[in-house]
């Protein structure tokens, strides 16, 4: 995916996503958090405009990756 919002907006979304419940990523020790945003934040891997942010974190909570769209 690709973000279409500014870097400060992305950082704010990441902070907000930290409060979302973590869902285990099967077969790993990682977790995923999904934030549903009010506005379009980017383009997902299928080329669609989307308003969801996926954040994948390691077991210790460190962000591995974040992208517009759903992680699964």
């Amino acid at each position: 995916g690709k973000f279409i919002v500014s870097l400060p907006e992305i950082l704010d979304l990441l902070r907000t996503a930290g409060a979302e419940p973590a869902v285990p990523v099967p077969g790993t020790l990682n977790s995923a958090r999904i934030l549903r945003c009010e506005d379009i934040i980017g383009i997902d891997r299928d080329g669609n405009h989307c308003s969801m942010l996926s954040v994948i974190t390691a077991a210790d909570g460190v962000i591995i990756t974040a992208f517009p769209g759903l992680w699964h």
Side-chain angles (χ1 to χ4, degrees), residues 8-59:
E9 289 175 281
I10 294 169
L11 294 174
D12 186 51
L13 292 171
L14 291 172
R15 282 188 282 274
T16 303
E20 294 297 314
V23 177
V25 176
T28 73
L29 297 177
N30 301 335
S31 297
R33 289 176 172 81
I34 304 296
L35 178 65
R36 287 168 173 74
C37 306
E38 292 181 19
D39 299 313
I40 300 296
I41 62 162
I43 300 168
D44 67 16
R45 63 181 168 206
D46 296 322
N48 301 311
H49 287 89
C50 65
S51 59
M52 293 195 183
L53 170 69
S54 291
V55 182
I56 309 298
T57 56

